[in-house]
Amino acid sequence: MKRSDRLVAMTNHLIEHPSQLVSLPFFSAEFDSAKSSISEDLAIVNNILQQQGIGYLESISGAAGGVKYIPSYSRTNSEKFIDQLCEQLEDPDRLLPGGYLYMSDILGEPSKVRNIGRLFASYFSTSEVDVVVTVATKGIPLAYAVASFLNVPVVIVRRDPKVTEGSTVSINYVSGSSKKIQTMVLSKRSLQEGSRVCIIDDFMKAGGTVNGMKNLMEEFRAEVVAIGVLAEAEDEDEERVITDYTSLIQINNVDVKNKQIEVRRGNYFRRELN
């Protein structure tokens, strides 16, 4: 195989298997090439990934070593994508009765969902996440996108128990916005004790649902190491019960009468990105 062909094949394999360790002998056998040639190829791939601002290769030495593709969006790419989301959500046609904002189309676009997953995975790449947890239903596509880049499983918390889930653990929690008592359940088989958890949700106002998931994780003796929400609503009259979270966008003002929506970047850039 020509080097140009090999570079394309190797890059494709690494991007399709993010956060997975790939040994040099695997590539050497797959492309019938010497390890020295593979090492040179990987250096080229790593350089291009960083130039494009979409990640880098992490080298692990030793007999069981190899390389991992770590998805990492550059600050330039992140700002561009988040600003596009903000602009899209400021469309007055998105206003719904009651001051709600229509966002389902964004959660239905595979390319956008994938980029959202890449951004959160970039931010949480050093958190040593074991599992991504979300609550049914709108957060599910986001959770799978994040998990695909982190190479970890997804666990879905439900509002009502399912017969197919087996025995479950349930808790009652107070919704942050409506102040109503609600219930969430999780199968005992879904989560191992001591897991390091990343919670993902599509929207947060006061944070009651996310806080409920945190409380549920305590029942499994799991540690919540990261919380990511696509959009948060800023409300000065609403006391937030969650403070340690990462948001991509912030909805500051929804004026139904004048059909105006103010959307800006969330707190994603509070930590400097490369």
Side-chain angles (χ1 to χ4, degrees):
M1 183 180 288
K2 294 179 180 179
R3 164 166 278 188
S4 57
D5 296 337
R6 193 168 65 235
L7 285 169
V8 172
M10 290 172 65
T11 303
N12 179 68
H13 181 91
L14 290 164
I15 290 178
E16 288 295 317
H17 299 83
S19 303
Q20 293 185 30
L21 183 64
V22 183
S23 68
L24 265 63
F26 169 82
F27 280 138
S28 183
E30 184 77 10
F31 304 118
D32 192 23
S33 300
K35 289 183 181 179
S36 58
S37 298
I38 296 297
S39 296
E40 292 173 0
D41 292 345
L42 290 172
I44 295 172
V45 172
N46 185 37
N47 185 47
I48 292 300
L49 290 173
Q50 294 189 53
Q51 283 185 22
Q52 294 295 310
I54 59 174
Y56 61 92
L57 298 186
E58 180 182 288
S59 298
I60 299 174
S61 58
V67 294
K68 285 183 181 179
Y69 164 55
I70 306 299
S72 179
Y73 240 22
S74 67
R75 186 180 182 97
T76 300
N77 287 342
S78 301
E79 289 178 343
K80 182 179 179 181
F81 177 73
I82 291 175
D83 288 344
Q84 287 174 346
L85 281 180
C86 292
E87 184 178 352
Q88 189 173 359
L89 287 172
E90 286 183 333
D91 183 355
D93 290 338
R94 291 185 173 275
L95 282 173
L96 299 172
Y100 292 99
L101 205 61
Y102 181 75
M103 296 175 56
S104 296
D105 59 331
I106 291 176
L107 299 177
E109 284 191 47
S111 61
K112 280 193 172 60
V113 171
R114 182 173 174 80
N115 278 334
I116 292 168
R118 192 195 301 269
L119 261 66
F120 279 129
S122 298
Y123 203 91
F124 301 139
S125 62
T126 60
S127 299
E128 298 180 3
V129 174
D130 295 321
V131 61
V132 173
V133 174
T134 190
V135 65
T137 56
K138 288 186 177 180
I140 292 177
L142 299 180
Y144 273 102
V146 177
S148 69
F149 284 107
L150 292 177
N151 188 31
V152 297
V154 174
V155 170
I156 301 173
V157 176
R158 303 191 182 278
R159 307 287 186 180
D160 302 300
K162 302 287 184 181
V163 176
T164 54
E165 296 285 310
S167 57
T168 60
V169 175
S170 66
I171 65 162
N172 294 324
Y173 71 99
V174 180
S175 172
S177 55
S178 65
K179 305 300 181 183
K180 294 181 180 179
I181 301 294
Q182 299 188 24
T183 302
M184 58 175 60
V185 300
L186 183 61
S187 169
K188 288 183 177 180
R189 301 186 185 188
S190 296
L191 192 63
Q192 291 185 353
E193 186 175 306
S195 296
R196 293 174 62 84
V197 171
C198 170
I199 292 176
I200 295 293
D201 206 2
D202 65 310
F203 183 81
M204 184 178 77
K205 192 172 184 183
T209 300
V210 173
N211 194 48
M213 282 191 276
K214 284 187 66 176
N215 294 335
L216 184 58
M217 294 302 100
E218 292 178 0
E219 298 295 323
F220 288 83
R221 294 183 174 85
E223 180 184 2
V224 177
V225 297
I227 299 173
V229 293
L230 169 59
E232 61 169 315
E234 183 67 20
D235 190 342
E236 296 179 355
D237 299 326
E238 198 79 55
E239 183 178 356
R240 186 149 291 163
V241 296
I242 291 292
T243 56
D244 188 16
Y245 64 92
T246 301
S247 65
L248 297 191
I249 58 177
Q250 185 180 81
I251 301 169
N252 292 317
N253 182 40
V254 178
D255 188 342
V256 178
K257 182 178 179 181
N258 296 312
K259 291 188 176 183
Q260 292 182 339
I261 309 167
E262 183 185 345
V263 184
R264 65 183 183 187
R265 298 174 186 172
N267 63 14
Y268 184 82
F269 297 107
R270 63 186 173 186
R271 186 179 74 189
E272 282 297 318
L273 301 175
N274 294 327

